[in-house]
Amino acid sequence: QCGQYSFALEGPSSTHPVVMGILNITPDSFSDGGRYQGLEFALSRAEEMIADGATMIDIGGESTRPGSPSVPVAEELARVMPALYALRTLDVALSVDTCKPDVMREAIIAGADMINDINGFRAPGAIEAVRDSDCGLCLMHMQATPQTMQLAPSYGDVVQEVIAFLQVRVEAMVEEGIARERICIDPGFGFGKTVEHNYALLRHLDRIRREVGLPVLAGLSRKSMIGAVTGRPVEERVAGSVAGALAAVAHGARIVRVHDVAETVDALKVWHAANND
Ligand SMILES: Cn1c(SCC(=O)Nc2ccccc2)nc2c(=O)[nH]c(N)nc21
């Protein structure tokens, strides 16, 4: 199972970017109450995203909205693990979005193909939890914590500081025995950045890829950086998000994390046809 991460990045995806569909399983996505209906929903949503062309799915059990409270590990496991077991029968690479070493460990045992840690594997025990496996690891930049990151984001040179953070974290992981080719990097759009910071990072994504030397994952979908320039509320940000995904791929992203899979896949197909002979 873990090997599907590398497969997702090679094969047909070596020339085409990977579209990773977002599957939120936070309680409000169990809006109809029961966990079972939630699982039914998760499975049908995953099948829909695969049919629409997603080759990876990101399963997240903890909301990371600015100011959101942290979820106890038992609760996060109770949300993530049933979904992971339900989805691992599908022909798709599975990414689990968590910062907790205990959740990482269980997710890997259950066959997760990638661990997606918005905290850059900085929690005590996080690197140990993922070391003895071969699953992919997404290393994301965040300034401060979800509780404080949007209070007053500040940088001297945001691109240089994000590059430096990623380089230091990659070296720390390699030092602790993590194979470098398991890692993809992510500037963390919206995690302790102003709109201007986010667009500077997007414009210089290729420099980030070159200077850190690893595949880039970009997650702009429906975020406030899209809303800020379109004036659209979250549910009306599809066109802006698709444009953001194209821009990210044009600037070197290998994986784009999106809500609107069908629209993004179609746009990337046309983009590819227009830019590759
Ligand atoms: C788990 N996760 C998230 S959650 C935040 C989010 O989607 N907010 C949001 C969603 C919809 C509307 C407004 C904001 N963003 C990233 C990312 O950019 N990269 C990686 N690797 N993982 C990520």
Side-chain angles (χ1 to χ4, degrees), residues 15-253:
T15 56
H16 285 261
V18 170
V19 174
M20 177 164 86
I22 297 167
L23 186 66
N24 266 332
I25 47 173
T26 49
D28 48 342
S29 65
F30 288 148
S31 51
D32 51 13
R35 286 199 190 284
Y36 178 70
Q37 290 92 330
L39 270 188
E40 278 298 291
F41 163 79
L43 203 52
S44 61
R45 179 76 185 114
E47 286 167 338
E48 181 183 15
M49 292 194 287
I50 295 166
D52 288 343
T55 50
M56 280 182 91
I57 289 178
D58 195 32
I59 302 170
E62 177 176 53
S63 166
T64 50
R65 292 199 178 298
S68 54
S70 183
V71 164
V73 61
E75 173 57 29
E76 194 173 328
L77 282 167
R79 292 177 194 168
V80 169
M81 297 311 291
L84 193 48
Y85 280 108
L87 265 55
R88 69 183 201 163
T89 60
L90 301 178
D91 182 24
V92 70
L94 295 176
S95 163
V96 173
D97 148 27
T98 185
C99 306
K100 299 187 178 69
D102 292 338
V103 178
M104 295 176 183
R105 207 186 319 278
E106 292 301 319
I108 290 170
I109 291 168
D113 301 292
M114 182 167 86
I115 300 298
N116 174 24
D117 182 1
I118 64 166
N119 191 36
F121 300 92
R122 286 181 288 178
I127 294 180
E128 289 75 13
V130 301
R131 179 171 42 212
D132 307 331
S133 78
D134 63 0
C135 64
L137 304 168
C138 182
L139 167 62
M140 196 192 84
H141 173 271
M142 170 164 61
Q143 186 177 71
T145 70
Q147 285 69 33
T148 62
M149 64 190 180
Q150 289 309 114
L151 296 180
S154 71
Y155 299 83
D157 169 349
V158 61
V159 177
Q160 191 45 50
E161 289 175 46
V162 167
I163 288 172
F165 170 92
L166 294 169
Q167 286 173 330
V168 166
R169 292 304 310 148
V170 168
E171 289 323 310
M173 293 170 78
V174 170
E175 271 295 298
E176 297 225 16
I178 302 280
R180 194 181 175 83
E181 56 276 357
R182 293 176 59 192
I183 302 171
C184 64
I185 55 171
D186 183 336
F189 292 111
F191 286 87
K193 284 101 180 174
T194 64
V195 172
E196 292 72 27
H197 293 142
N198 288 321
Y199 281 100
L201 288 164
L202 179 53
R203 275 194 299 277
H204 297 283
L205 212 53
D206 209 43
R207 182 176 137 211
I208 296 170
R209 179 185 60 79
R210 268 184 288 106
E211 295 195 19
V212 185
L214 286 168
V216 169
L217 188 153
L220 306 79
S221 183
R222 298 191 187 177
K223 289 186 176 176
S224 55
M225 69 186 281
I226 304 295
V229 303
T230 60
R232 301 287 187 189
V234 174
E235 63 280 354
E236 295 173 21
R237 292 177 188 168
V238 179
S241 301
V242 168
L246 292 182
V249 168
H251 290 287

